[in-house]
């Protein structure tokens, strides 16, 4: 871990949790693992303040701790810089949750990020208190903090029309179940507070003391496999590490998926059968048999937290969809988004930190998706969008809302949801018939009947329509597979159009992210050294180590021009140089200088520059904010918020507006840099 990462994470902790927590976190980042006496010696704070700071950091999962199972053992503490860096992505994750599951889910996820972890019972109680108070006071007073720490004004991002995102506790419970089913939040276990190295040590002791022991080469290899399997079960809840969205949520995920296949009228009956007729908002356990061996086991005392690894999977899918849209267009990207969502539900993390580094990855061993599953996912997303469009009270005609929720396949084919009654009126073109003297359209008008006969489609064969839909979806999937970027790979192919849904597809994330990283690095090199620098890097990446003359011949550039470019890129660290002497004298005239490009070294170099740039941007935001500290504190008062025209002068409002624009620009740059960090490091 570099100094730039430590500075960035410490600055993030200071901005959110204050000076006390940042001081403790900074010492742990700088010195590594420490016990409480050693930490108190370096922090130079009273034990009471030190323990308060540690409690906050542990609650937020920013500090890990471990106590050995020995007599008079001393607890040691270690900073988790990855959780600290995730603070910069909180806004993106909340936005993704809101787009997929609604404002209630976004508000619940925001509160969990603020609290670190919380039980469902505490969240339900806090929201019930907030909803009770919200009914007795105005909207301006709804932003104060409740006694349990849940911010009432942030129970969810408020829609544009100002309506409250959570009006019933049932909405909150449904949002939490959706987040649990998607894996964005997971159950808190003891392993989440323990460093990974301590988990390995404990698992190794467990298996060494077992009946197998560790004697011989094969026994040691088996020991390593058993240790990895045990640690994976502790941390993810499944031996294989895959096959569930977030390990411990596997049973809940299966139960929710089975419930989604039921008709809407069966949901309430099923929940009533599960809870034996009791209410679901109490503190009792909800359990019961569902479809054989599948059971829904949700308790109100379940403690949950935001699953950072699963959130990174969601961000990776969003980035890949954006790349596909830029290259292939929106219709194909919509199909790709549905496929990635199906694959993402089966992947709990992007990188398995517990996997054997020497093992070769097989791209065909990932989750497999069929064309039929993609079509069903598109149908579900279209129906969900249709219900949202019907329920929302916005301006514009129903036909415009219908166009927004339709998923285009090509210029002539669309995966549209059935027309609702309001859409049917717009689709038929009201006003085309004869209008009587009172302005009411005559339903018996022959012109109107002729127009309806021309516009209304004729009944189609369901089997033929389904085959056509599968064929259209398969065309877009093959377009993704045949692209040079290889967004997906086809494992099996059935050339018969009647069996189009039997095709199976897999996403080779390893090669896809490798290509994406190289594209990002080439974009940076082009911005710094021009197109000629990118051409030189492509040649070296393809041919390997070359001398100056060979590079100039392949790049079709004069040797004098390429020499200055190679020197500049070498000084910046993007190119490496190897000296091969022809004899033992090692004279420069008798030495061959070979240039080569190392993607890993270049990636680490760019990451360090990104960390440093993000730190400087956040520091600049702090400097700009300090100059207007009094004005900002005044504007954030509860009595001033929403009444700036009354309590702030014209000069103060102009200064506040300029500060907000400056902060927005700087935070926008930080978000762009974080996207590059995700591509180069996390995805």
């Amino acid at each position: 871990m570099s100094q730039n990462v430590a500075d960035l994470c410490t600055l993030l902790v200071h901005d959110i949790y204050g000076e006390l927590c940042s001081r403790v976190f900074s010492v742990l980042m700088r010195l590594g693992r420490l016990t409480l006496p050693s930490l108190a010696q370096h922090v130079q704070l009273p034990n009471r303040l030190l323990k308060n700071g540690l409690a906050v950091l542990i609650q937020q999962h920013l500090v890990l701790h471990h106590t050995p199972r020995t007599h008079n053992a001393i607890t040691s503490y270690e900073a988790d810089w990855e959780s600290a860096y995730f603070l910069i992505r909180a806004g993106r994750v909340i936005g993704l949750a809101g787009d997929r599951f609604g404002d209630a889910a976004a508000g619940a996820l925001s509160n969990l990020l603020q609290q670190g972890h919380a039980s469902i019972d505490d969240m339900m109680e806090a929201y019930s208190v907030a909803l009770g108070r919200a009914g007795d006071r105005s909207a301006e007073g709804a932003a104060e903090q409740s006694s349990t720490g849940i911010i009432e004004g942030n129970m969810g991002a408020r829609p544009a029309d100002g309506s409250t995102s959570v009006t019933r506790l049932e909405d909150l419970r449904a949002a939490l179940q959706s987040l649990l089913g998607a894996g964005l939040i997971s159950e808190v276990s003891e392993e989440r507070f323990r460093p990974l190295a301590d988990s390995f040590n404990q698992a190794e002791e467990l298996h060494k003391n077992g009946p197998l022991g560790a004697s011989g080469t094969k026994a040691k290899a088996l020991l390593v496999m058993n240790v990895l399997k045990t640690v994976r079960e502790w941390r993810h809840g499944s031996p294989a590490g895959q096959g569930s969205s977030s390990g411990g949520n596997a049973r809940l995920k299966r139960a929710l998926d089975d419930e989604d296949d039921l008709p809407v009228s069966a949901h309430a009956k099923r929940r009533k059968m599960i809870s034996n007729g009791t209410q679901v908002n109490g503190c009792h356990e909800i359990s019961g048999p569902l479809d054989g061996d599948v059971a829904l086991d949700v308790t109100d005392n379940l403690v949950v937290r935001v699953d950072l690894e699963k959130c990174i999977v969601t961000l990776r899918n969003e980035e890949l969809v954006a790349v596909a849209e830029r290259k292939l267009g929106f219709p194909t990207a919509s199909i790709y988004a549905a496929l990635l969502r199906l694959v993402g539900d089966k992947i709990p993390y992007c990188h398995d930190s517990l996997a054997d580094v020497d093992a070769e990855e097989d791209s065909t061993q990932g989750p497999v998706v069929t064309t039929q599953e993609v079509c069903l996912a598109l149908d579900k997303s279209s129906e969900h969008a249709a219900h949202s469009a019907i329920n929302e009270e916005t301006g514009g005609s129903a036909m415009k809302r219908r166009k927004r929720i339709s998923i285009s396949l090509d210029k002539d084919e669309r995966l549209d949801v059935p027309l609702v009654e309001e859409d049917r009126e717009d689709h038929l073109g009201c006003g085309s018939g004869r209008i009587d003297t009172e302005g009411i359209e005559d339903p018996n008008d022959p012109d109107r009947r002729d127009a309806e006969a021309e516009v209304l489609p004729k009944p189609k064969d369901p089997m033929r329509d389904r085959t056509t839909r599968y064929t259209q979806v398969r065309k877009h999937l093959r377009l993704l597979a045949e692209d040079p970027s290889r967004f997906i790979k086809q494992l099996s192919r059935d050339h018969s159009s009647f069996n189009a849904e039997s095709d199976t597809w897999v996403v080779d994330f390893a090669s896809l992210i490798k290509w994406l990283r190289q594209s990002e690095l080439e974009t940076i090199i082009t911005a710094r050294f021009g197109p000629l620098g990118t051409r030189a890097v492509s040649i070296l990446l393809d041919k390997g180590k070359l001398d100056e003359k060979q590079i100039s011949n392949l790049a079709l550039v004069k040797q004098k021009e390429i020499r200055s470019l190679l020197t500049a890129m070498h000084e910046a660290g993007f190119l490496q140089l190897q000296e091969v002497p022809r004899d033992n004298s090692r004279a420069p005239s008798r030495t061959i200088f070979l240039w080569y490009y190392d993607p890993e070294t270049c990636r680490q170099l760019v990451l360090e520059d990104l960390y440093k740039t993000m730190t400087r941007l956040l520091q600049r935001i702090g400097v700009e904010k300090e100059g207007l500290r009094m004005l900002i504190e005044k504007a954030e008062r509860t009595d001033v918020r929403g009444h700036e025209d009354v309590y702030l002068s014209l000069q103060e409002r102009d200064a506040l507006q300029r500060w907000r624009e400056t902060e927005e620009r700087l935070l926008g740059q930080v978000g762009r840099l974080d996207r590059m960090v995700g591509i180069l490091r996390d995805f």
Side-chain angles (χ1 to χ4, degrees), residues 266-524:
H267 284 221
K269 180 179 179 181
R270 183 173 189 175
R271 293 193 182 99
K272 185 176 181 180
M273 293 175 61
I274 296 170
S275 58
N276 296 324
T278 58
Q279 296 294 327
V280 297
N281 291 330
C283 299
H284 60 277
E285 180 177 348
I286 305 176
S287 60
L290 294 177
D291 296 339
D293 59 343
V294 180
L296 178 61
D297 187 6
V298 182
T299 57
D300 283 348
N301 57 1
L302 179 70
V303 181
V304 294
R305 58 160 291 185
V306 178
D307 195 330
L308 308 185
E309 295 177 340
K310 187 65 176 182
C311 292
I312 295 177
V313 173
T314 307
L315 294 176
R316 180 180 66 179
N317 292 346
E318 182 192 24
E319 182 63 31
L320 293 178
V321 170
V323 175
E325 184 176 357
R326 289 196 298 267
K327 297 192 66 176
L328 302 175
F330 174 74
T332 306
S334 302
I335 306 294
Y336 193 44
L339 185 143
L340 286 179
R341 181 171 297 180
L342 293 174
V343 175
D345 290 340
K346 305 175 184 178
I347 299 178
Y349 39 71
C350 289
H351 299 287
D352 187 5
S353 58
L354 308 177
D356 188 2
V357 294
D358 296 331
E360 296 183 358
E361 295 184 359
D362 188 359
S363 60
T364 62
Q365 296 300 319
V368 177
V369 178
T370 63
T371 307
Q372 182 180 10
E373 293 175 346
V374 176
C375 291
L376 293 177
L378 289 172
D379 292 341
K380 289 182 180 180
S381 62
S382 299
E383 292 175 3
H384 176 73
H387 288 298
S388 301
I390 294 172
N391 293 332
E392 68 179 357
E393 297 179 359
T394 57
S397 63
M399 177 58 69
K400 294 181 179 179
R401 294 197 300 270
R402 178 178 176 271
K403 290 181 179 179
R404 287 201 303 267
I405 64 177
S406 61
I407 300 177
S408 301
L409 290 178
D410 54 22
K411 295 181 179 179
D412 300 325
E413 296 288 339
R414 284 182 177 269
L415 286 178
D416 289 336
V417 297
L419 287 173
V420 296
E421 191 66 27
E422 187 179 3
D423 293 339
R424 186 179 299 275
E425 294 176 1
D426 291 341
H427 189 63
L428 295 177
C430 293
S432 60
R434 185 181 297 112
I435 307 298
D436 58 10
T437 56
E438 297 180 357
I440 301 177
E441 192 170 354
D442 186 7
N444 298 321
D445 181 32
D447 297 336
R448 177 182 174 86
R449 289 197 300 268
D450 294 340
E452 291 182 358
E454 294 177 359
V455 175
L456 287 177
K458 297 181 180 180
K460 295 182 179 180
D461 185 7
M463 192 65 182
R464 181 186 298 273
D465 184 62
R466 190 190 70 172
T467 304
T468 303
R469 289 163 59 86
Y470 285 160
T471 304
Q472 292 294 332
V473 172
R474 188 173 65 166
K475 288 181 180 179
H476 288 271
L477 293 177
R478 292 183 62 182
L479 185 62
L480 290 167
E482 295 172 359
D483 188 83
S485 305
R486 300 302 298 271
F487 290 103
I488 58 177
K489 290 185 177 180
Q490 188 172 8
L491 295 183
S492 65
R493 177 179 298 179
D494 193 339
H495 296 281
S496 175
S497 60
F498 296 96
N499 294 324
E501 64 270 20
S502 63
D503 292 343
T504 56
W505 313 86
V506 67
V507 182
D508 185 5
F509 287 107
S511 61
L512 187 57
I513 296 302
K514 182 179 179 180
W515 166 81
L516 191 60
R517 288 177 178 175
Q518 183 59 31
S519 301
E520 197 69 29
L521 291 176
E522 291 180 357
T523 302
I524 296 174

Side-chain angles (χ1 to χ4, degrees), residues 579-592:
E579 300 178 2
V580 182
R582 297 181 179 178
D583 51 25
N584 295 333
S585 63
R586 295 183 177 273
S589 58
R590 302 290 299 172
T591 302
I592 301 176

Side-chain angles (χ1 to χ4, degrees), residues 545-676:
K545 298 180 181 180
L546 299 174
D547 61 3
E548 184 179 290
K549 184 176 181 181
Q550 292 174 326
I551 297 175
S552 63
N553 292 334
L554 292 174
L556 303 178
V557 180
K558 295 181 180 179
Q559 191 170 351
K560 183 178 180 181
E561 296 180 6
I562 203 69
R563 183 183 299 117
S564 59
L565 174 66
L566 295 177
T567 303
M569 296 183 67
H570 177 64
E571 292 177 354
F574 288 91
L575 293 182
Q576 308 299 323
L577 186 63
Q578 181 180 359
E579 300 178 2
V580 182
R582 297 181 179 178
D583 51 25
N584 295 333
S585 63
R586 295 183 177 273
S589 58
R590 302 290 299 172
T591 302
I592 301 176
F593 296 93
L594 298 179
W595 299 89
Y596 67 97
Y597 169 74
D598 186 6
E600 182 62 24
T601 303
C602 185
R603 183 180 71 89
Q604 294 293 339
L605 176 67
V606 173
L607 279 176
E608 291 298 323
D609 292 341
L610 292 175
Y611 294 146
K612 186 183 296 184
T613 306
M614 294 170 72
T615 304
R616 299 296 182 267
L617 288 173
L618 293 177
Q619 289 175 346
R620 185 62 188 176
I621 292 177
V623 172
E624 295 287 341
K625 187 175 182 179
E626 185 63 25
L628 300 172
R629 182 171 57 86
M630 299 297 295
L631 177 59
I632 295 175
E633 290 179 355
K634 180 181 179 181
E636 291 178 351
R637 283 165 39 187
T638 57
D639 58 335
V640 178
R641 190 180 306 167
H643 301 84
E644 288 83 358
D645 296 339
V646 179
Y647 295 100
L648 297 180
S649 62
L650 180 60
Q651 293 78 8
E652 290 177 336
R653 293 198 298 270
D654 293 340
L656 188 62
Q657 180 65 24
R658 288 193 301 269
W659 148 248
R660 289 173 177 172
E661 293 176 355
T662 302
E663 184 185 31
E664 184 179 358
R665 288 195 297 267
L666 294 175
L667 290 179
Q669 292 295 332
V670 172
R672 296 186 183 96
L673 296 177
D674 172 64
R675 169 191 162 275
M676 298 172 63

Side-chain angles (χ1 to χ4, degrees), residues 34-45 47 50-51 54 74-77:
L34 294 174
T35 60
L36 186 61
S38 301
L39 185 60
Q41 181 181 358
H42 290 89
V43 176
Q44 296 180 356
L45 289 174
N47 286 335
L50 176 59
K51 291 180 179 179
L54 278 176
I74 301 178
T75 304
S76 57
Y77 301 90

Side-chain angles (χ1 to χ4, degrees), residues 239-252:
Q242 293 185 2
S244 64
S245 60
S246 61
N249 301 331
R251 288 199 301 161
L252 175 63

